[in-house]
């Protein structure tokens, strides 16, 4: 079996950290190359960690080589401090990195986007995600897989009170068969779906909404 090289941005986030753990335990990948702004603290024989400044692409563009780019980078408005700063991380950094990967011949791109992503949305967050989807679709990858999971669940480093309340409300509604299409998705499920999609021999662009993410991961919705 020819092992692949995985590239990951956002490896220290909720989905990214789950993805990293799974990739390191997956024999189909011989090298897992992550690009982070701060050390991950993880040591593994397969792991290549590169500390980078996303604003200085000349220092990292040449390192973006491999078989698949997994993009799970993102932040919140509170963490970023402003809409402009959040847009820079959630859109501009991701697009620049995907552009470098496509120029370097990386054939497959897997992106974690958001439910209701729409470039024409009046809501800043969903419009930003929609603009990212629009822009990466123009890049010449062999295959692009976009996941739109919506609300995520899992152990975060920082507490998000609004998200915790929203998760509890949706789970309550789900008991009565309501809001099934909006239910929270565990981060490990999104990671499983990302890896499964990366193994397909597909061509072109595929977009997978919440329930499809569960199906791709081989997990039944709760």
């Amino acid at each position: 079996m020819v092992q692949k090289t995985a590239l990951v941005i956002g490896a220290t986030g909720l989905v990214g950290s789950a993805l990293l753990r799974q990739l390191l335990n997956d024999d189909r990948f011989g090298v897992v190359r992550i690009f982070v702004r701060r050390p991950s603290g993880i040591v593994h024989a397969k792991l290549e960690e590169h500390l980078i400044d996303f604003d200085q692409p000349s220092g990292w563009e040449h390192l973006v080589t491999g078989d698949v780019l997994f993009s799970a980078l993102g932040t919140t408005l509170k963490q970023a401090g402003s809409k402009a700063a959040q847009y820079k991380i959630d859109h501009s950094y991701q697009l620049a990195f995907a552009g470098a990967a496509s120029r370097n011949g990386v054939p497959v791109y897997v992106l974690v986007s958001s439910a209701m992503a729409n470039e024409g949305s009046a809501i800043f967050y969903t419009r930003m995600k929609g603009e990212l989807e629009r822009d990466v679709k123009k890049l010449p990858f062999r295959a692009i897989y976009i996941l739109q999971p919506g609300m995520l669940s899992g152990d975060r480093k920082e507490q998000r009170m609004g998200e915790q309340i929203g998760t509890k409300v949706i789970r309550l509604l789900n008991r009565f068969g309501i809001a099934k299409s909006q239910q929270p998705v565990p981060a490990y499920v999104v990671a499983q779906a990302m890896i499964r999609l990366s193994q397909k021999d597909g061509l072109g662009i595929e977009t997978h909404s919440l329930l499809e993410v569960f199906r791709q991961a081989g997990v039944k919705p709760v």
Side-chain angles (χ1 to χ4, degrees):
M1 179 178 64
V2 178
Q3 292 181 309
K4 295 183 177 181
T5 294
L7 311 172
V8 183
I9 57 173
T12 59
L14 181 62
V15 172
S17 58
L19 174 66
L20 178 57
R21 289 192 296 270
Q22 292 181 29
L23 288 170
L24 292 176
N25 290 318
D26 193 322
D27 291 337
R28 292 171 296 184
F29 294 90
V31 176
V32 181
R33 189 172 296 143
I34 66 173
F35 299 83
V36 291
R37 289 169 287 184
R38 293 175 295 278
S40 67
I42 298 173
V43 177
H44 193 283
K46 289 165 56 172
L47 180 64
E48 288 186 12
E49 180 174 284
H50 297 279
L51 298 179
I52 68 168
D53 180 349
F54 282 93
D55 288 316
Q56 301 296 327
S58 61
W60 50 260
E61 282 182 321
H62 63 288
L63 301 171
V64 188
T65 59
D67 298 291
V68 54
L69 169 59
F70 294 100
S71 188
L73 187 65
T75 188
T76 63
L77 182 58
K78 181 178 179 180
Q79 287 177 316
S82 69
K83 289 182 178 180
Q86 186 180 18
Y87 193 91
K88 191 175 187 179
I89 294 170
D90 279 45
H91 178 279
S92 303
Y93 285 169
Q94 294 209 73
L95 180 59
F97 211 91
S102 66
R103 290 191 296 274
N104 291 347
V106 176
V108 179
Y109 178 51
V110 185
L111 170 68
V112 180
S113 182
S114 175
M116 298 184 288
N118 180 354
E119 63 181 288
S121 175
I123 301 171
F124 168 72
Y125 184 79
T126 51
R127 183 173 67 252
M128 173 178 64
K129 292 298 185 181
E131 290 178 358
L132 176 61
E133 290 189 13
R134 175 200 65 198
D135 295 340
V136 297
K137 287 176 181 178
K138 299 175 184 177
L139 298 174
F141 290 101
R142 187 197 76 204
I144 296 174
Y145 301 104
I146 298 172
L147 292 81
Q148 299 176 330
M151 191 174 293
L152 300 168
S153 63
D155 295 325
R156 291 189 183 275
K157 294 179 181 178
E158 81 284 354
Q159 298 297 315
R160 299 182 184 179
M161 185 59 66
E163 193 170 83
Q164 290 176 351
I165 294 172
T167 296
K168 291 179 180 178
V169 170
I170 289 175
R171 283 178 172 161
L172 177 62
L173 292 174
N174 285 344
R175 293 182 183 179
F176 300 96
I178 305 171
K180 283 290 185 182
S181 64
Q182 300 299 322
Q183 65 182 294
V185 187
Y188 78 88
V189 171
V190 179
Q192 285 177 202
M194 294 175 77
I195 293 174
R196 285 199 177 193
L197 286 167
S198 76
Q199 299 303 302
K200 293 178 64 174
D201 293 324
L203 297 172
I205 301 168
E206 294 183 12
T207 301
H208 298 273
S209 59
L210 185 146
L211 295 180
E212 184 68 9
V213 170
F214 277 103
R215 192 181 75 79
Q216 289 295 334
V219 176
K220 290 184 178 181
V222 179

